[in-house]
């Protein structure tokens, strides 16, 4: 790479550039991209993963926030005229602009740790246009995404991700695979949005609200954790024991709970609830 394009990782963008060729090859093997697919890379950085992806899918679209990286990427991949580089914040980007009815999106990326959770929730809004997602994330976050009920990592993110997607943690990535090396372990995760939901809630907005509220009070029993939403709720009518803790409920049971509340609880849920995408 021409020294003119030397770029120092910027802390405010959470940049840790992947430099391990073996890990890059392993990621691409897991993705198995094909030439005709609608492949989208979020945060290509200096293009280490991009380079190998383009060899399989030259029509790749890259979404990069850091405008200083754009000239470097354009120069490095000038032999790929079909590469589409968009300078945009992925948290605000409308991914429906890239989707085609017959060719859903395949999204990949080494996501900055500081925006990973809100970005995942943002991407789930476009799940109908997405075939799958492969991301490099902090290992702790991958553990939360794939956690089972009753485990320490199981929370709001686990429930909502697993409600919409089949989630599979693939393999860990050590800090030395990056420059600069992060202080945490990383891992690769695959999320495949369901074409037909295994357990479809009658009111998905209410489901999300209930999951959010109870996991803000995960140490409380279900009967007490629901009080911010339904102060007058009689817990004896719940479809599961009110003495259970939120982290013991499966995705299916959360759907049952939300359906019960939408059908049998006459009062509207209280609006005085913190709806923070960074929790759970």
């Amino acid at each position: 790479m021409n020294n003119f394009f030397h770029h120092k990782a910027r802390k405010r963008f959470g940049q840790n550039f992947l430099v391990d060729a073996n890990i890059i090859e392993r990621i691409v093997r897991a993705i198995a991209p094909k030439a005709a697919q609608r492949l989208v890379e979020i945060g290509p950085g200096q293009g280490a993963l991009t380079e190998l992806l383009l060899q399989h899918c030259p029509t790749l679209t890259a979404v990069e926030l850091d405008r200083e990286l754009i000239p470097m990427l354009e120069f490095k991949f000038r032999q790929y005229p079909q590469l589409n580089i968009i300078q945009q914040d992925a948290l605000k980007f409308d991914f429906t602009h890239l989707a085609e009815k017959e060719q859903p999106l395949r999204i990949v990326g080494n996501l900055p740790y500081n925006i990973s959770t809100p970005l995942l929730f943002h991407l789930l809004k476009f799940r109908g246009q997405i075939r799958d997602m492969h991301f490099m994330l902090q290992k702790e976050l991958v553990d939360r995404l794939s956690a089972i009920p009753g485990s320490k990592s199981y929370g709001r993110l686990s429930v909502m991700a697993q409600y919409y997607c089949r989630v599979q943690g693939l393999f860990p990535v050590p800090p030395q695979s990056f420059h600069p090396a992060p202080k945490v372990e990383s891992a690769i995760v695959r999320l495949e949005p369901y074409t037909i939901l295994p357990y479809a809630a009658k009111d998905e907005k209410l489901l999300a609200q209930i999951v959010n509220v109870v996991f803000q009070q995960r140490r409380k029993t279900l009967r007490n954790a629901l009080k911010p939403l339904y102060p007058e709720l009689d817990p004896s009518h719940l479809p599961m024991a009110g003495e259970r803790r939120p982290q013991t409920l499966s995705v299916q049971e959360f759907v049952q709970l939300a359906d019960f509340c939408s059908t049998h609880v006459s009062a509207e849920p209280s609006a005085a609830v913190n709806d923070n995408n960074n929790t759970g």
Side-chain angles (χ1 to χ4, degrees):
M1 177 65 65
N2 192 316
N3 288 334
F4 176 77
F5 291 111
H6 177 72
H7 181 88
K8 184 177 180 180
R10 303 171 77 178
K11 189 173 181 180
R12 72 186 181 98
F13 288 147
Q15 291 174 339
N16 297 92
F17 299 124
L18 187 61
V19 295
D20 188 325
N22 291 327
I23 291 294
I24 292 169
E25 290 178 4
R26 192 174 178 187
I27 293 171
V28 174
R29 284 199 303 270
I31 298 168
K34 302 293 187 296
Q37 293 174 341
R38 301 287 292 177
L39 194 62
V40 180
E41 183 183 9
I42 296 175
Q46 295 180 330
L49 180 60
T50 316
E51 186 167 13
L52 195 52
L53 289 172
L54 281 169
Q55 294 176 23
H56 297 272
C57 185
T59 58
L60 171 74
T61 294
V63 181
E64 175 57 57
L65 174 61
D66 190 347
R67 66 178 68 250
E68 292 186 10
L69 285 169
I70 305 300
M72 175 193 296
L73 293 168
E74 290 176 339
F75 178 82
K76 184 175 183 178
F77 303 119
R78 59 194 182 280
Q79 73 273 31
Y80 292 99
Q82 296 180 81
L83 169 63
N84 178 26
I85 303 175
I86 300 173
Q87 195 277 311
Q88 179 65 269
D89 184 350
L91 274 170
K92 300 175 182 177
F93 187 68
D94 184 352
F95 286 85
T96 57
H97 294 324
L98 302 178
E100 293 180 355
K101 186 176 181 181
E102 302 301 324
Q103 197 66 266
L105 301 177
R106 305 195 67 201
I107 302 180
V108 306
N110 173 19
L111 302 188
Y113 299 148
N114 57 339
I115 65 163
S116 294
T117 298
L119 182 54
L120 286 169
F121 276 103
H122 178 64
L123 288 166
L124 286 174
K125 298 175 186 176
F126 308 100
R127 59 192 176 274
Q129 290 84 45
I130 296 174
R131 170 181 156 182
D132 58 22
M133 297 177 277
H134 291 79
F135 294 129
M136 174 94 69
L137 300 169
Q138 187 172 342
K139 186 178 182 298
E140 178 186 350
L141 188 58
V142 173
D143 290 342
R144 286 165 56 196
L145 283 165
S146 58
I148 61 174
S151 66
K152 184 179 179 181
S153 299
Y154 189 72
R156 173 178 180 249
L157 183 61
S158 318
V159 174
M160 297 314 300
Q162 293 174 33
Y163 174 77
Y164 289 117
C165 302
R166 182 180 293 104
V167 181
Q168 181 183 8
L170 298 182
F171 54 88
V173 180
Q176 57 267 32
S177 296
F178 301 88
H179 181 77
K183 297 179 181 180
V184 296
E185 295 286 329
S186 303
I188 304 297
V189 67
R190 175 186 292 136
L191 298 98
E192 300 175 87
Y194 291 113
T195 303
I196 300 175
L197 296 173
Y199 315 106
K202 295 176 182 177
D203 184 338
E204 290 186 350
K205 183 177 179 180
L206 179 60
L207 171 66
Q209 193 172 18
I210 287 173
V211 172
N212 182 29
V213 169
V214 299
F215 276 113
Q216 288 182 30
Q217 309 166 88
R218 62 185 296 134
R219 294 185 180 181
K220 293 186 177 182
T221 61
L222 196 58
R223 63 188 299 166
N224 291 324
L226 284 167
K227 283 185 178 179
L229 275 179
Y230 299 108
E232 307 303 321
L233 177 66
D234 182 351
S236 66
H237 294 160
L238 292 172
M240 66 282 298
E243 299 307 313
R244 290 178 63 181
R245 308 285 176 180
Q247 62 268 31
T248 69
L249 270 64
S250 66
V251 174
Q252 183 179 12
E253 288 177 312
F254 270 111
V255 171
Q256 291 172 348
L257 178 60
D259 286 353
F260 168 83
C261 291
S262 68
T263 304
H264 296 93
V265 181
S266 57
E268 287 292 318
S270 170
V273 174
N274 176 27
D275 184 21
N276 184 351
N277 279 349
N278 291 297
T279 62

